[in-house]
Amino acid sequence: MVHSSSNELNRTLGLKLAVVAVVGNILGSGVYKKVAPMAAELDSAALVLLCWILGGIVTLFGALSSAELAGMLADTGGEFTYYKKVYNRFFAFIFGWSVFTVIKTATIASLAYVFTESLNGIVPLPELLTGWSDINLFGIFHPFADFNIKLVAIILILLLTLFNTSGIKTGMGLSTALLVLVVLGISMIILFGLTSSQSHISPVLNDYGTTSFHISSIFTAMLAAFWAYEGWSAVGYIAGEIKEPNRNVPKSLAIGVFIVIALYLAVNVTYLSLLTVPQLKSIYESHNQIAAVEAVRVFWGPKGVMLISFLILITTLGCNHASIISNARVYYAMAKEGLFFKKVGTVNKAKVPATALWYQGIWSSVLVLSGTFDQLTDMLIFAAFIFYGATTLGVIIMRIRKPDLHRPYKVWGYPVVPALFLVFCVGFIFNTIISRPREAGIGMVLIAIGIPFYFYFTRRSIKNKISS
């Protein structure tokens, strides 16, 4: 690979493209799929909506808290940069390692998986290696199950990775075009769904289920909601390519999250007004149906299925593309600090960290082979909330440690908002360990593997400094 003489990124993105980065990283498969597992967990339409509202509020609290740190410390790498200054290099590395091994690469793998499932619904893909489908590792991973889906998902990841090596302006241009199509498509579902004769909103608001539920059920259902809201922090990763990042990153976070909350509430009211909870539970248990597809089938019939399948393709393509753009910048920032492989800290002629992109693409492809969609999303959400909590705690620490430091943005409702979000994170993490021990365990193991790597990279960095 030929590198430019300057090994730095260019600041070329304004506020509008920063908002596109926020919304584009959030709007993915969750808006179409996750209402079904939530209905199966809660057995109540009203409680499903409550979880979407709570998920939106918690996400907004987290985004507002993160925005304060972003206003002070914004630079390429997002939380990696914040943690290095608030905590230490070790914790910053563990975050970056977690982003690489599970949080963001599993996001990319999951989105590619759903993209290919939707493609398979439009154009059936030929079965591959069916005789190998029962092969497993530890009884958990089945790499050759649904191999036709997984192979196409891997091809998609690698093609998007290749495209994103051509420059961030090119990448963000595609993100904008795809996002416009997605918002228009979701708006059509809301408009035609809620105005159709089959839509019944009143029963939804009064459906509290026939069985008792526990707070744990709310937390478990919110795993699904948080997958749909996941990605808002990614704008911080590309802060080194945003103009006036201390002003534009906080603004884009607030604007972008508000847009997504409004869309999610409207579209999920639509789904629940068209499909009963038993129907959604059946969709979840089938493992090969998508709630949004069945909702559209109600008011547009079989012809609408093709349209919604195409919309899911565009959405997951756009979100995966946005994720690939932003997440690779974390590993680039790590390598610049001597905490990752040296070549990952370089850029190509287009001022893009191409090597970081390829490392990310290859590991994401491995994760595609590792598990199912829901297993991947539960695993990454558990890991993500460990660091969301750390970011919010960082706001409180910086207020105490450096109260006079200039803050272009101060979190609304301090200290109540950060404290509530922090308490929620702790409860959510412990609940996930209890309710999803396998996914939580895999996530913790992948995070822990980073500890020996930290000492390896640190020793190597010291040796390089001595020799130079």
Side-chain angles (χ1 to χ4, degrees):
M1 183 184 300
V2 179
H3 303 290
S4 60
S5 56
S6 175
N7 203 30
E8 300 296 330
L9 303 170
N10 284 338
R11 295 193 184 276
T12 57
L13 308 178
L15 177 61
K16 289 181 181 179
L17 288 181
V19 172
V20 168
V22 174
V23 180
N25 270 280
I26 300 175
L27 275 181
S29 59
V31 69
Y32 306 111
K33 286 178 68 80
K34 287 302 187 178
V35 66
M38 292 168 74
E41 182 69 34
L42 296 170
D43 196 32
S44 161
L47 290 179
V48 169
L49 284 180
L50 176 64
C51 280
W52 281 110
I53 293 169
L54 288 175
I57 292 171
V58 170
T59 299
L60 185 60
F61 281 10
L64 292 175
S65 299
S66 178
E68 179 166 323
L69 284 186
M72 294 186 293
L73 309 172
D75 202 355
T76 298
E79 285 97 327
F80 173 78
T81 302
Y82 313 158
Y83 297 158
K84 186 161 54 81
K85 296 176 181 178
V86 176
Y87 300 108
N88 50 49
R89 282 167 57 87
F90 172 74
F91 191 76
F93 170 81
I94 292 298
F95 164 75
W97 176 262
S98 302
V99 167
F100 177 73
T101 56
V102 57
I103 298 175
K104 297 303 182 182
T105 46
T107 297
I108 293 167
S110 301
L111 290 166
Y113 196 92
V114 176
F115 172 91
T116 312
E117 281 184 320
S118 301
L119 179 63
N120 188 47
I122 299 173
V123 182
L125 301 171
E127 297 289 338
L128 295 172
L129 303 180
T130 53
W132 295 12
S133 60
D134 292 330
I135 296 174
N136 67 84
L137 297 173
F138 316 114
I140 299 175
F141 306 117
H142 295 77
F144 300 106
D146 301 318
F147 190 70
N148 56 336
I149 302 291
K150 291 177 179 178
L151 179 61
V152 176
I154 289 169
I155 292 171
L156 172 69
I157 290 169
L158 297 180
L159 286 176
L160 286 175
T161 298
L162 178 63
F163 179 83
N164 277 297
T165 62
S166 62
I168 192 165
K169 287 285 281 188
T170 303
M172 290 305 299
L174 177 60
S175 282
T176 303
L178 292 173
L179 186 58
V180 169
L181 291 175
V182 169
V183 173
L184 286 174
I186 294 175
S187 299
M188 286 178 62
I189 293 173
I190 295 167
L191 176 63
F192 287 95
L194 290 179
T195 56
S196 72
S197 59
Q198 296 92 337
S199 176
H200 303 285
I201 296 178
S202 181
V204 172
L205 302 178
N206 296 300
D207 175 16
Y208 292 96
T210 57
T211 59
S212 61
F213 69 95
H214 303 282
I215 294 298
S216 178
S217 299
I218 295 289
F219 275 94
T220 302
M222 288 175 72
L223 268 173
F226 285 131
W227 159 248
Y229 284 114
E230 168 64 15
W232 53 267
S233 63
V235 69
Y237 304 162
I238 59 172
E241 292 153 285
I242 294 176
K243 300 171 184 175
E244 300 182 69
N246 301 91
R247 181 178 67 88
N248 286 332
V249 171
K251 276 189 174 182
S252 65
L253 277 168
I255 295 169
V257 171
F258 268 117
I259 290 171
V260 172
I261 290 172
L263 277 175
Y264 279 2
L265 284 178
V267 79
N268 279 282
V269 167
T270 305
Y271 298 151
L272 291 164
S273 73
L274 295 166
L275 298 170
T276 65
V277 168
Q279 286 175 310
L280 287 167
K281 291 170 71 174
S282 177
I283 289 168
Y284 174 66
E285 290 164 1
S286 73
H287 297 294
N288 59 6
Q289 290 180 294
I290 297 174
V293 172
E294 300 311 312
V296 170
R297 193 192 300 274
V298 171
F299 64 89
W300 270 340
K303 292 181 181 179
V305 171
M306 184 67 70
L307 178 62
I308 184 64
S309 296
F310 180 72
L311 178 60
I312 294 172
L313 275 179
I314 296 297
T315 306
T316 49
L317 177 66
C319 190
N320 213 354
H321 169 67
S323 296
I324 289 171
I325 289 176
S326 57
N327 300 334
R329 271 64 182 177
V330 178
Y331 329 129
Y332 167 82
M334 292 168 66
K336 295 283 283 184
E337 290 289 324
L339 292 176
F340 211 57
F341 301 103
K342 186 177 180 180
K343 286 187 177 180
V344 175
T346 60
V347 298
N348 63 8
K349 287 183 177 180
K351 300 288 186 180
V352 169
T355 305
L357 283 163
W358 284 115
Y359 271 64
Q360 172 182 263
I362 291 168
W363 181 244
S364 298
S365 299
V366 172
L367 289 180
V368 168
L369 296 173
S370 71
T372 64
F373 170 75
D374 288 309
Q375 182 177 322
L376 285 168
T377 57
D378 287 351
M379 181 176 68
L380 74 92
I381 291 299
F382 165 77
F385 264 81
I386 294 173
F387 295 104
Y388 288 160
T391 300
T392 303
L393 180 60
V395 173
I396 298 171
I397 290 172
M398 292 297 284
R399 286 283 187 116
I400 296 170
R401 187 188 298 168
K402 296 185 178 181
D404 298 327
L405 191 66
H406 174 63
R407 289 168 170 80
Y409 166 82
K410 289 186 177 182
V411 61
W412 171 82
Y414 181 89
V416 176
V417 167
L420 286 175
F421 183 74
L422 190 58
V423 169
F424 179 87
C425 287
V426 173
F428 183 79
I429 289 165
F430 279 105
N431 183 77
T432 305
I433 292 171
I434 295 168
S435 64
R436 294 287 190 273
R438 181 180 64 179
E439 287 74 14
I442 295 170
M444 286 191 289
V445 167
L446 288 172
I447 292 171
I449 290 172
I451 296 173
F453 276 92
Y454 171 77
F455 292 108
Y456 165 74
F457 287 123
T458 300
R459 284 198 303 269
R460 194 192 62 178
S461 179
I462 292 170
K463 287 181 181 178
N464 290 339
K465 288 180 181 178
I466 293 173
S467 61
S468 60

